[in-house]
Structure formats: structure tokens, C-alpha cells
Amino acid sequence: MTSLFIDTSSKKIIVAIIKNQEILSSIIEDNDTTLSERIFPLLIKVVNDADIVIKDIDKIYIVNGPGSFTGVRVGVTIAKTMAWSLNIPLIPISSLEVLASTKYDGKYLVPYIDARRGYVYGGVYDNDLNSVVSDQHIKLSDLITKIPKRGKANFVGYEPIETTIEIIEPQVDLIKVINKHQNDEGVNPHSLVPNYLKLTEAEEK
């Protein structure tokens, strides 16, 4: 089974080819406003580096949010188009769960993405990537109160935030994420939508 993993939702672009629980090739780069121009060359590079062709891909794992509206939209559109044209399963994954795959010393991990004005996209996960507190758009102060009292918790995210809880740098474990979802049933590419968790600024206005 050869899979393509795409995450364009946050501060890092992650594109990888995985086969039989082995990462054949991967790229992790800073995300920026040139994503739409860079993403196709990155996809071509990971495919070439893995010494495969596009038709060898059997499944696509796509991070469909929350995070950057533009980033999520670009990644989801590409994944949907590829899955439809290749007629292969498409598996959506939360960006916060991906962050929660980071190895840590504690019982809980609190992945977050800065949503500005004191808000974050955040949740709480355990060591097995089970959601303890569901992903949500929430005030940072409110998220802190939802963390279970028993057991050490760490925040994990790319942006600095004001909290007394220790923040650790994300070190995504793609194999752990893939293993969690390898038996998931694929979704219809036409039905998959970005999981923004909040309205866009245009919709709010």
C-alpha cells in the first residue's frame, strides 16, 4: 500500500509518500503566501524521490483543518482532485491530531494553532491520539480549563502563546498518524469539505 500524505493547514507544509509503514520520501517546509505556486513542485519531488509514479498511489491522507483558510483550501482541493481522478480512498485527518503525534512526557497533549485575538484552534489528546477534548475554536483561557486535572499536560504548536503550561515544538510522527487511520473508510471526494471550525472573515462580515 502506497500512500500520499498532504498537510498544508499550518506553519509547515508536510508532503510525504509512505509505503508499508515506511516513509519513502518526505518534505517539511515553512508555509507562506506562495503555497499555491509551491505545492505542485513539492508533490512532484516527493513522488520522484520515492521512485514511484502518480498511478502507484493507493490512498491519500489529507489534513482538512483547522488552520489557515487558504492553506486548508489548497490542500483539500488537490487531494480531492487526485483521489477522484485516481479513484482511490481519501482519508481526512485533523491538523490538531497531527500535531498531537509529537512525542512527549506526559498524559495529555494540547495541540493548538493560533487563531488570533486570544483564540486558538485547540483540543486535548492522549498518547494514542484519542481525542479527550474535541477540536474547537476557543479562547485560550477556556481551553486551559478543559484540560483534565489528573496527569501532566503539554501544549504543542508552532506559534508562541501566553500560558504557564509548557509548550513543546511539534515533531510530527507520520507513521503514528497513518497507523491510527490506516483502516478508516475513505470518504467521497465530492463530499469532503475543509474543517475550518469557524466562519471565514468574509462570512463573519
Side-chain angles (χ1 to χ4, degrees), residues 96-112 122-127 129-130 132-133 147-148 152-157 166-171 176:
L96 298 176
E97 182 182 325
V98 172
L99 291 175
S101 68
T102 298
K103 186 177 180 180
Y104 65 101
D105 178 22
K107 189 172 183 180
Y108 303 109
L109 201 57
V110 186
Y112 71 88
V124 180
Y125 288 78
D126 65 16
N127 272 299
L129 296 183
N130 296 311
V132 178
V133 175
I147 300 171
K152 182 181 178 182
N154 296 103
F155 273 75
V156 58
E166 182 181 358
I167 300 176
I168 56 180
E169 182 76 14
Q171 297 291 334
K176 184 175 183 178

Side-chain angles (χ1 to χ4, degrees), residues 4 11 15-16 19-21 53 55 60 62 82-83 99 119 122 143 146 148 151 161-163 167 179 189 196:
L4 169 65
K11 293 289 185 180
V15 185
K19 183 175 183 179
N20 300 329
Q21 298 190 334
V53 295
K55 290 190 293 186
I60 297 176
I62 177 63
M82 291 182 65
L99 291 175
Y119 280 81
L143 176 60
K146 292 178 178 287
I161 53 173
E162 294 185 6
T163 175
I167 300 176
N179 286 343
Y196 293 131

Side-chain angles (χ1 to χ4, degrees), residues 30-103:
D30 290 340
N31 203 348
D32 59 27
T33 56
T34 64
L35 171 64
S36 58
E37 302 168 15
R38 297 165 56 201
I39 187 63
F40 287 107
L42 293 179
L43 286 168
I44 293 170
K45 179 170 173 50
V46 292
V47 168
N48 290 340
D49 288 351
D51 197 23
I52 65 169
V53 295
I54 293 291
K55 290 190 293 186
D56 291 333
I57 297 172
D58 303 302
K59 183 184 293 187
I60 297 176
Y61 295 92
I62 177 63
V63 176
N64 68 324
S68 160
F69 290 134
T70 300
V72 171
R73 187 164 56 247
V74 168
V76 166
T77 300
I78 290 171
K80 289 172 64 170
T81 302
M82 291 182 65
W84 175 80
S85 62
L86 295 171
N87 192 27
I88 58 177
L90 179 62
I91 311 296
I93 299 176
S94 162
S95 58
L96 298 176
E97 182 182 325
V98 172
L99 291 175
S101 68
T102 298
K103 186 177 180 180

